[in-house]
Amino acid sequence: RYAYFKGCSTGGRQALMEAQRVPEDFDGIIAGAPAADFTGIGAQFIKDIKALYPDPRNVAAAPFTAQTLKSVESQIVAKCDAADSVTDGLLEDPRRCVIDVGALTGLTEGQKATLKTIYGETRNQDGVIFPAQPVGSEGDPNAWAGWITGPNTMVMTLQKAPSLRFAFGTEMFKNFIYNDPAWDYSTYDFRTFRKDAAQASAILNATNPNLDAFKASNGKLIIWHGWSDPALSALGTIKYVDQVTSRDPASGDYMRTFLMPGVLHCAGGPGPDRAGWTKALEDWVEKGVAPERVIASKNEGGKTVRTRPLCAYPLRAVYNGSGSIDEEKNFTCSK
């Protein structure tokens, strides 16, 4: 009776392609951590690896030790954890956490400069190419070490690259944008990026904010993203969602977005990373009940150790001031 699509990462991009390009295919769509602006993401990756590995002939030395990355994360959490109404080891909204990288301890000046680049926007003379990287998850062994900084043994073995950003970024530019296996990332300055990436962007990206046909087909779209995602910046997803809403202020009738504090790429991390997306979508499509609050849980050893409400963007979960911080009933959705 109903057709549904659910995907994360590239699957999330495929989900948005369905809503944008063939809106009649599915009654309901779930797009998790969507790699929507794929060429923009590639540009961000190149920007980062230019800072991390300026010499393409020397990619074996670690720009940061695991201990250094953990120290950076601990300093950030210590500064900003309580700013979201509860001290729980999570940043409810990392945009509210303003960090002076220069004031972080235990870093060389070169490491501070590299961190500023990673946290920063990807830009050229025309403006922002891709949004910034939120703070958080720097020290998680499943986060920055493999995705961003490297060198990671498994990635080096499988991809012949120190990190996944290195692998994805260089292979995208070599094979999709320039069709030149000898392309050298170390000399690229992004001045002609829009022109260079135009053809690949038209094929690979899912950034069209016009969802009129999907709306007309009575389709429903749930988008979610982990705030601590080291692969794809949640700010990229927010940018797309804001563009859809700016174009159609009534977008809440067919699109709802949820941000997951402390959650890595598609799953994992210290935050509650499991949520009932399918049930929420079914209720919306089949019963007309739009999701305002979806409950996420964190499971350890087969047991649920924390639940937390995920609030429809731009709302966020705020602690009521009493009761366990590990129970969702003690939080309210608020601005």
Side-chain angles (χ1 to χ4, degrees):
R1 293 179 60 194
Y2 300 95
Y4 294 106
F5 185 100
K6 178 182 180 181
C8 190
S9 193
T10 285
R13 182 171 75 255
Q14 293 168 339
L16 293 183
M17 283 181 174
E18 282 288 343
Q20 295 165 16
R21 301 183 187 183
V22 276
E24 69 279 2
D25 275 2
F26 294 97
D27 300 291
I29 294 173
I30 299 169
D37 184 359
F38 206 41
T39 53
I41 290 165
Q44 179 198 33
F45 288 4
I46 294 299
K47 178 259 294 180
D48 291 346
I49 67 170
K50 279 168 62 72
L52 289 160
Y53 298 96
D55 182 358
R57 297 165 299 181
N58 181 17
V59 297
F64 297 90
T65 66
Q67 293 77 13
T68 299
L69 290 174
K70 190 61 182 177
S71 173
V72 168
E73 179 184 320
S74 297
Q75 291 178 68
I76 290 171
V77 172
K79 182 179 187 300
C80 295
D81 190 3
D84 57 12
S85 78
V86 60
T87 302
D88 59 355
L90 304 177
L91 305 182
E92 181 68 29
D93 185 344
R95 294 175 301 179
R96 295 171 176 254
C97 182
V98 179
I99 292 295
D100 178 6
V101 173
L104 295 175
T105 62
L107 298 169
T108 67
E109 291 305 310
Q111 288 174 327
K112 290 178 181 179
T114 299
L115 275 182
K116 289 178 181 178
T117 297
I118 294 172
Y119 289 136
E121 297 170 325
T122 305
R123 308 178 65 97
N124 65 7
Q125 74 283 352
D126 299 321
V128 177
I129 295 173
F130 196 77
Q133 178 70 32
V135 297
S137 83
E138 293 84 356
D140 192 301
N142 296 311
W144 277 45
W147 270 103
I148 301 177
T149 59
N152 180 275
T153 302
M154 181 179 294
V155 178
M156 189 69 81
T157 300
L158 297 176
Q159 301 291 337
K160 304 298 187 291
S163 72
L164 287 169
R165 287 200 176 185
F166 191 110
F168 273 105
T170 55
E171 294 301 312
M172 176 186 292
F173 273 75
K174 288 178 179 180
N175 298 309
F176 286 106
I177 294 178
Y178 282 109
N179 193 26
D180 177 10
W183 180 81
D184 182 0
Y185 71 83
S186 66
T187 62
Y188 192 63
D189 65 4
F190 300 103
R191 285 182 299 174
T192 58
F193 170 75
R194 296 296 182 194
K195 176 178 175 291
D196 299 340
Q199 183 180 31
S201 297
I203 298 168
L204 297 173
N205 292 355
T207 53
N208 185 354
N210 184 346
L211 296 179
D212 289 352
F214 185 71
K215 177 181 181 179
S217 72
N218 203 32
K220 308 300 180 188
L221 171 65
I222 291 176
I223 301 174
W224 65 268
H225 207 130
W227 266 124
S228 292
D229 190 335
L232 307 173
S233 171
L235 298 179
T237 292
I238 290 174
K239 176 183 177 180
Y240 174 71
V241 168
D242 286 346
Q243 288 173 337
V244 174
T245 301
S246 177
R247 185 183 176 280
D248 179 8
S251 63
D253 293 342
Y254 55 88
M255 179 186 73
R256 295 292 171 98
T257 305
F258 299 86
L259 286 308
M260 305 182 75
V263 174
L264 303 183
H265 187 51
C266 294
D273 62 340
R274 299 185 182 186
W277 301 122
T278 302
K279 180 64 164 58
L281 186 62
E282 288 175 343
D283 286 347
W284 197 5
V285 170
E286 301 174 24
K287 301 177 183 179
V289 180
E292 302 285 352
R293 174 184 173 117
V294 177
I295 306 305
S297 63
K298 183 66 178 177
N299 298 331
E300 295 178 358
K303 295 182 179 180
T304 299
V305 296
R306 173 176 286 176
T307 57
R308 186 65 57 85
L310 304 175
C311 304
Y313 173 80
L315 301 183
R316 63 189 182 94
V318 176
Y319 181 52
N320 294 335
S322 62
S324 172
I325 64 171
D326 293 328
E327 296 181 19
E328 57 84 14
K329 66 181 181 180
N330 299 318
F331 289 79
T332 302
C333 289
S334 174
K335 290 185 178 182

